[in-house]
Amino acid sequence: MATQNPYKWNVMIFLAGNNSLSEECVYGLTEVLGAKINGDIAVFAQLSTGVHRGTFLNLRDFKDRDQLHKKLNEELSAQNQASKAEQKELAKKPFSRRIFDFVKECIGEDNSHRADHYMLILAGHGNGILGEFLREDDRDNDIKRMNMINLGGLIEKINRELLFGEKMDVLGMDSCLMSMTEIAYAVHNYVNVMIGAEGFEPLAGWPYRKILELVSNSPDNLNELGRKIVNEYIEYYTVYQAADLSVDLAASDLSENVMVMKAINSLSRALTPILNAYPKPVRIGDFPERSSAVVRDAVLLAHWEAQLYKNEQYTDIYDFCTLLKARLSDAYRDVRTACQNVL
């Protein structure tokens, strides 16, 4: 007979704030305390700042900021009293291992916090696929650094060893530039819904109080929950238009990710032989001779006009395909069809 889990939701927030986000990570903790949530949701956090080194917190233990402040001071004192060898060992631990150990502690050695649904939120600096994820100010230890290969391996390890093959319900990226097809593909076998921003996030990050209240009252439909979280985020920051701030957030159903990547691959296969022939005309299959220069120019112009992110390092694939398709005549219908498949 199956045993009922103690909680409906287990929400785990990993706050990588040993950098310019220290204050914002502490602010996120105070936001959680203000959330009106029911008793069947567990909420944990791990805080790193300029002074804290991975302080674990069960946020249901605190009724107000004073209790949280007292606990943080106690944990800081204990960390400072640890031996230098222990401190050095902790400082050297890679991010992937730190996050894995955090999730393990959230679930509990005795499965005391096992839940029907799991949400892991990774909060810190993000750089998409080309940079370091959850960057810290300590630059002396290369082994701690995390990239997208590390992230994919980490989520797989959590799935296999801690969730026993059960997919994580929501992976939240409270970080800049992390809503990317490559990142989604790296975790799609182990996560149902991924939520993240395509561009830069405000320093304050996610509105945790509102989001936890949504999770606490959520239906079992994960896609509906994802939409509600996105809408809450956008509504929260709408007033900041007065400060000339715009934001974006997306919830991705990762069950569709394989089809997306197949479509992108088909676009690559359609474009590659034509671009490789530049500047000569090209003949492929049943198509008459066509100009590789026309396709090359269309690709360049579509890229320049498409929505770009992070100093033009990243391009919105939907916008790019829309513009590329519009720039090519029916003589290039193989490329146009591939663009439409992506869309």
Side-chain angles (χ1 to χ4, degrees):
M1 182 176 178
T3 303
Q4 185 175 4
N5 290 318
Y7 295 95
K8 181 178 180 181
W9 276 94
N10 185 325
V11 179
M12 303 164 282
I13 309 171
F14 186 88
L15 298 162
N18 184 13
N19 44 48
S20 59
L21 298 176
S22 287
E23 295 92 337
E24 285 73 19
C25 287
V26 176
Y27 171 72
L29 293 177
T30 64
E31 277 283 283
V32 172
L33 294 184
K36 298 178 181 177
I37 54 180
N38 55 42
D40 59 1
I41 175 172
V43 186
F44 301 96
Q46 181 163 305
L47 175 67
S48 294
T49 66
V51 291
H52 278 267
R53 299 182 297 275
T55 297
F56 181 84
L57 300 163
N58 183 343
L59 293 172
R60 297 309 300 260
D61 288 344
F62 312 112
K63 295 181 180 179
D64 53 40
R65 290 158 60 115
D66 288 340
Q67 289 185 340
L68 174 62
H69 175 63
K70 181 179 179 182
K71 177 64 173 179
L72 289 173
N73 281 344
E74 290 174 353
E75 290 294 324
L76 183 60
S77 177
Q79 290 177 14
N80 289 336
Q81 291 174 16
S83 68
K84 288 187 177 181
E86 290 174 324
Q87 294 181 24
K88 187 176 181 180
E89 188 64 27
L90 178 62
K92 289 173 60 178
K93 186 183 291 188
F95 254 112
S96 57
R97 185 69 209 185
R98 289 162 62 182
I99 296 171
F100 179 85
D101 290 346
F102 166 61
V103 174
K104 184 176 181 179
E105 190 167 3
C106 291
I107 294 174
E109 293 283 356
D110 56 355
N111 293 325
S112 55
H113 296 114
R114 192 157 288 280
D116 298 334
H117 303 288
Y118 295 92
M119 174 186 287
L120 174 61
I121 302 172
L122 303 176
H125 285 301
N127 289 284
I129 61 167
L130 297 180
E132 184 182 350
F133 182 41
L134 303 179
R135 173 182 55 80
E136 286 195 319
D137 283 346
D138 177 9
R139 311 299 297 167
D140 298 330
N141 192 356
D142 288 344
I143 195 172
K144 291 197 308 182
R145 300 183 183 182
M146 191 169 186
N147 56 33
M148 291 311 102
I149 296 175
N150 301 144
L151 178 62
L154 165 66
I155 301 303
E156 178 185 9
K157 184 177 175 68
I158 291 173
N159 169 268
R160 184 179 66 250
E161 298 184 19
L162 301 181
L163 301 182
F164 308 114
E166 177 186 349
K167 284 189 177 184
M168 185 178 296
D169 294 274
V170 179
L171 176 62
M173 305 287 196
D174 188 2
S175 310
C176 299
L177 303 159
M178 297 299 288
S179 186
M180 305 184 73
T181 51
E182 296 92 337
I183 297 171
Y185 191 75
V187 303
H188 79 278
N189 284 323
Y190 319 108
V191 175
N192 288 313
V193 173
M194 186 181 86
I195 302 176
E198 191 171 12
F200 291 109
E201 274 199 351
L203 289 177
W206 286 18
Y208 286 106
R209 179 175 64 85
K210 292 284 191 178
I211 287 174
L212 281 173
E213 289 174 355
L214 284 175
V215 173
S216 181
N217 297 297
S218 72
D220 289 328
N221 187 321
L222 296 177
N223 289 352
E224 181 63 24
L225 174 61
R227 280 190 287 269
K228 287 182 177 181
I229 290 175
V230 169
N231 290 338
E232 187 61 57
Y233 179 91
I234 299 302
E235 182 178 339
Y236 180 83
Y237 280 109
T238 296
V239 68
Y240 289 88
Q241 290 177 357
D244 197 26
L245 174 71
S246 64
V247 296
D248 66 86
L249 198 71
S252 302
D253 177 356
L254 298 192
S255 67
E256 303 291 339
N257 192 254
V258 171
M259 294 303 296
V260 174
M261 296 308 292
K262 285 182 177 179
I264 293 174
N265 189 40
S266 72
L267 175 60
S268 174
R269 292 200 308 271
L271 285 172
T272 298
I274 302 175
L275 296 176
N276 284 343
Y278 178 83
K280 298 178 181 179
V282 63
R283 185 184 298 277
I284 299 174
D286 297 332
F287 288 93
E289 188 175 88
R290 297 177 295 175
S291 171
S292 61
V294 167
V295 177
R296 176 181 179 273
D297 291 348
V299 169
L300 287 173
L301 291 170
H303 176 257
W304 288 341
E305 292 180 11
Q307 174 68 61
L308 303 174
Y309 297 95
K310 199 188 177 189
N311 303 319
E312 302 187 2
Q313 284 186 333
Y314 302 133
T315 304
D316 183 280
I317 187 68
Y318 192 97
D319 199 15
F320 171 78
C321 287
T322 301
L323 293 166
L324 179 58
K325 180 184 175 186
R327 287 191 169 276
L328 294 174
S329 69
D330 195 53
Y332 303 91
R333 60 183 178 276
D334 52 337
V335 179
R336 286 169 50 86
T337 298
C339 287
Q340 184 59 44
N341 286 340
V342 175
L343 299 177

